mmCIF file of all heavy atoms in Angstrom:
data_model
loop_
_atom_site.group_PDB
_atom_site.id
_atom_site.type_symbol
_atom_site.label_atom_id
_atom_site.label_comp_id
_atom_site.label_asym_id
_atom_site.label_seq_id
_atom_site.Cartn_x
_atom_site.Cartn_y
_atom_site.Cartn_z
ATOM 1 N N ALA A 849 83.749 97.246 125.624
ATOM 2 C CA ALA A 849 84.054 97.340 124.167
ATOM 3 C C ALA A 849 84.534 95.969 123.658
ATOM 4 O O ALA A 849 85.160 95.211 124.379
ATOM 5 C CB ALA A 849 85.118 98.378 123.970
ATOM 6 N N THR A 885 114.801 101.084 92.440
ATOM 7 C CA THR A 885 115.359 101.855 93.605
ATOM 8 C C THR A 885 114.175 102.259 94.519
ATOM 9 O O THR A 885 113.040 102.386 94.066
ATOM 10 C CB THR A 885 116.065 103.161 93.169
ATOM 11 O OG1 THR A 885 115.149 104.073 92.615
ATOM 12 C CG2 THR A 885 117.161 102.807 92.149
ATOM 13 N N SER A 909 118.296 98.760 94.920
ATOM 14 C CA SER A 909 119.026 99.627 95.752
ATOM 15 C C SER A 909 118.086 100.331 96.700
ATOM 16 O O SER A 909 117.067 100.882 96.281
ATOM 17 C CB SER A 909 119.742 100.707 94.888
ATOM 18 O OG SER A 909 120.729 100.057 94.074
ATOM 19 N N GLY A 981 106.899 103.074 98.851
ATOM 20 C CA GLY A 981 106.187 102.222 99.713
ATOM 21 C C GLY A 981 104.953 102.792 100.450
ATOM 22 O O GLY A 981 104.239 102.104 101.161
ATOM 23 N N ILE A 1099 94.800 110.965 99.236
ATOM 24 C CA ILE A 1099 93.459 110.471 99.500
ATOM 25 C C ILE A 1099 93.117 110.626 100.972
ATOM 26 O O ILE A 1099 92.038 111.146 101.338
ATOM 27 C CB ILE A 1099 93.311 108.977 99.047
ATOM 28 C CG1 ILE A 1099 93.513 108.797 97.570
ATOM 29 C CG2 ILE A 1099 91.932 108.476 99.466
ATOM 30 C CD1 ILE A 1099 93.498 107.373 97.089
ATOM 31 N N TYR A 1108 85.783 113.320 106.921
ATOM 32 C CA TYR A 1108 85.483 111.880 107.021
ATOM 33 C C TYR A 1108 86.370 111.157 108.054
ATOM 34 O O TYR A 1108 86.064 110.034 108.475
ATOM 35 C CB TYR A 1108 85.646 111.181 105.680
ATOM 36 C CG TYR A 1108 84.540 111.570 104.704
ATOM 37 C CD1 TYR A 1108 84.729 112.501 103.720
ATOM 38 C CD2 TYR A 1108 83.295 110.990 104.754
ATOM 39 C CE1 TYR A 1108 83.781 112.845 102.760
ATOM 40 C CE2 TYR A 1108 82.289 111.327 103.862
ATOM 41 C CZ TYR A 1108 82.530 112.229 102.857
ATOM 42 O OH TYR A 1108 81.573 112.598 101.960
ATOM 43 N N VAL A 1160 82.436 98.683 119.108
ATOM 44 C CA VAL A 1160 83.276 97.710 118.465
ATOM 45 C C VAL A 1160 84.489 98.480 117.827
ATOM 46 O O VAL A 1160 84.240 99.360 117.009
ATOM 47 C CB VAL A 1160 82.477 96.937 117.332
ATOM 48 C CG1 VAL A 1160 83.437 96.039 116.578
ATOM 49 C CG2 VAL A 1160 81.326 96.178 117.943
ATOM 50 N N PRO A 1189 107.551 119.334 118.259
ATOM 51 C CA PRO A 1189 108.076 120.590 117.660
ATOM 52 C C PRO A 1189 107.248 121.807 118.049
ATOM 53 O O PRO A 1189 106.038 121.794 118.285
ATOM 54 C CB PRO A 1189 107.902 120.290 116.141
ATOM 55 C CG PRO A 1189 106.925 119.186 116.091
ATOM 56 C CD PRO A 1189 107.026 118.356 117.322
#
Side-chain angles (χ1 to χ4, degrees):
T885 68
S909 296
I1099 298 176
Y1108 289 100
V1160 175

